[in-house]
């Protein structure tokens, strides 16, 4: 299998195939790029990666470290990593994944391992960055952080977590609720802390006392356990805002086990915009993050920095959108296939 075979199937010249595979040196139209990539996939063509790396002085790999890469604690991680990998593949890069399991030492070990494998850049998803190894990476490879504070020489992308928490709580207040509890992960996790701040701000603006906070793991089980405690209290809230959708789904099950109707006895809202939120009964009202757009922007930002020595760090904050369903008392939309 040769580059000429790919060119014949794609209806292009071998030079165009080379430009696509090597991301240059000449630009290629998007339609030609798609045809070449489709031909590469169909034929199973594999260029000589070692020769390619020697020519370009790149490894054509990106390291991605997440605090939960499998998405077990939040669907956000699984959807983000999948979208990131897709964009990287389109640009000719492979992705190495690492799950830090919320352990800073394990995250640093992955960073050092990926640096040893000469990755061209790093994406860090909700991974805290110590000043020591941040300085070690400075000027060495480009880094993009997702949903976490970062030094100014790293690019940073995040969703407006506080505004999202504020929107969700304002919506529950609009349904007449004044006792709104918060089910969240450990409050030292930056996105959770900011979502709780938005919840608190909305309640204070409305003249309502901030309700009780029940902390739990960022998981279905964590949401269930935290909501069980919250909804079993004598002055239980009439609405619950959860820091992620999985926790909100766990809270809905906890309400059912306590004999409470959603939304009749307790309204529930979440945060993430997970696909599963549309399939609960009732459907889950949520703050939806533009996950695919964030992943695309993160990967394009990183590739741009890899391929341009003059690229400046980028900071971009994305807006989140309220999606209403039956769990808060809004009309339940039909699912259209």
């Amino acid at each position: 299998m040769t580059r000429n075979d790919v060119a014949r199937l794609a209806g292009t010249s071998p030079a165009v195939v080379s430009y696509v595979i090597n991301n240059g040196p000449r630009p290629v139209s998007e339609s030609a790029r798609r045809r070449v990539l489709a031909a590469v996939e169909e034929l199973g063509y594999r260029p000589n990666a070692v020769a390619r790396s020697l020519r370009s002085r790149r490894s054509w790999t990106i390291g991605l470290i997440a605090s939960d890469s499998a998405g077990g604690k939040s669907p956000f991680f699984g959807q983000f990593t999948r979208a990131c990998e897709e964009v990287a593949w389109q640009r000719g890069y492979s992705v190495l994944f690492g799950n830090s399991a919320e352990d800073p030492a394990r995250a640093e070990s992955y960073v050092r391992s990926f640096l040893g494998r000469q990755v061209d850049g790093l994406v860090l998803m909700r991974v805290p960055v110590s000043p020591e190894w941040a300085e070690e990476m400075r000027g060495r490879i480009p880094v993009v952080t997702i949903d976490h504070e970062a030094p100014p020489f790293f690019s940073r992308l995040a969703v407006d977590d506080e505004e999202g928490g504020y929107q969700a709580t304002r919506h529950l207040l609009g349904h007449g609720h004044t006792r709104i509890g918060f089910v969240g992960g450990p409050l030292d996790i930056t996105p959770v802390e900011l979502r709780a701040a938005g919840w608190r701000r909305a309640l204070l603006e409305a003249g309502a006392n901030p309700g009780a906070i029940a902390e739990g793991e960022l998981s279905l089980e964590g949401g269930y356990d935290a909501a069980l405690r919250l909804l079993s209290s004598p002055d239980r809230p009439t609405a619950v805002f959860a820091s992620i959708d999985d926790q909100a789904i766990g809270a809905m099950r906890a309400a059912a086990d306590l004999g409470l109707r959603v939304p009749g006895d307790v309204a529930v809202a979440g945060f993430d915009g997970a696909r599963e939120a549309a399939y609960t009964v009732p459907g889950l009202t949520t703050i939806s993050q533009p996950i695919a757009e964030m992943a695309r922007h993160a990967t394009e930002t990183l590739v741009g920095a890899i391929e341009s020595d003059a690229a400046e760090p980028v900071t971009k904050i994305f807006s989140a959108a309220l999606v209403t369903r039956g769990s808060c008392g809004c009309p339940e939309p039909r699912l259209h296939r």
Side-chain angles (χ1 to χ4, degrees):
M1 192 64 59
T2 68
R3 193 168 295 178
N4 290 338
D5 297 319
V6 175
R8 276 193 294 272
L9 182 60
T12 65
S13 68
V16 169
V17 174
S18 176
Y19 300 153
V20 172
I21 292 173
N22 295 303
N23 280 309
R26 294 186 180 179
V28 176
S29 70
E30 189 57 34
S31 61
R33 177 181 293 276
R34 288 200 192 99
R35 294 200 309 274
V36 169
L37 291 175
V40 167
E41 183 70 14
E42 181 176 339
L43 295 174
Y45 174 67
R46 297 292 178 265
N48 187 319
V50 174
R52 183 186 181 209
S53 295
L54 289 172
R55 287 195 306 270
S56 63
R57 296 184 180 180
R58 296 182 198 148
S59 66
W60 298 94
T61 57
I62 291 170
L64 192 157
I65 304 172
S67 58
D68 178 24
S69 65
K73 295 185 180 178
S74 171
F76 172 84
F77 292 102
Q79 294 177 33
F80 187 98
T81 53
R82 176 68 183 88
C84 179
E85 188 274 336
E86 181 65 26
V87 176
W89 182 83
Q90 291 173 1
R91 295 297 300 268
Y93 290 80
S94 300
V95 179
L96 299 178
F97 293 99
N99 177 11
S100 73
E102 299 176 6
D103 180 352
R106 182 167 167 171
E108 184 172 352
S109 176
Y110 266 119
V111 168
R112 296 191 184 283
S113 173
F114 286 174
L115 290 176
R117 294 169 186 268
Q118 297 184 317
V119 297
D120 297 320
L122 280 175
V123 177
L124 304 177
M125 295 178 59
R126 296 182 184 170
V127 173
V129 181
S130 72
E132 293 77 20
W133 58 271
E135 191 62 36
E136 185 177 334
M137 286 188 289
R138 183 176 189 173
R140 187 169 175 180
I141 59 171
V143 177
V144 177
T145 65
I146 309 298
D147 273 352
H148 212 287
E149 295 300 322
F153 44 87
F154 288 174
S155 291
R156 176 176 177 260
L157 277 66
V159 74
D160 194 337
D161 290 296
E162 182 175 352
E163 182 61 25
Y166 178 82
Q167 281 187 53
T169 310
R170 287 288 300 174
H171 184 73
L172 293 171
L173 286 163
H175 278 283
H177 298 284
T178 55
R179 297 199 314 277
I180 302 173
F182 180 77
V183 169
L187 293 176
D188 59 352
I189 297 176
T190 300
V192 176
E193 180 185 8
L194 292 173
R195 293 169 194 183
W199 161 79
R200 190 176 295 109
R201 175 163 63 95
L203 289 171
L204 291 175
E205 280 186 8
N209 291 325
I213 294 178
E215 290 193 51
E217 289 187 355
L218 291 171
S219 63
L220 291 163
E221 297 83 0
Y224 177 86
D225 292 340
L228 208 58
R229 298 193 306 270
L230 192 65
L231 298 177
S232 298
S233 62
D235 57 343
R236 67 169 178 82
T238 61
V240 170
F241 168 53
S243 63
I244 66 169
D245 285 347
D246 269 10
Q247 288 178 321
I249 294 170
M252 291 171 68
R253 177 56 192 255
D257 285 358
L258 291 171
L260 301 174
R261 294 170 298 124
V262 177
D265 298 314
V266 58
V268 179
F271 198 121
D272 266 342
R275 290 187 294 265
E276 293 82 354
Y279 291 88
T280 59
V281 180
L284 176 63
T285 290
T286 183
I287 299 296
S288 179
Q289 302 187 72
I291 298 175
E293 183 185 356
M294 290 177 68
R296 180 193 60 76
H297 197 92
T299 312
E300 293 289 357
T301 297
L302 189 64
V303 170
I306 291 168
E307 298 179 355
S308 172
D309 294 335
E312 293 293 324
V314 172
T315 296
K316 184 173 177 61
I317 306 299
F318 292 81
S319 297
L322 176 69
V323 178
T324 60
R325 299 189 180 98
S327 69
C328 66
C330 283
E332 186 70 65
R334 289 178 60 87
L335 288 178
H336 296 286
R337 298 292 296 172

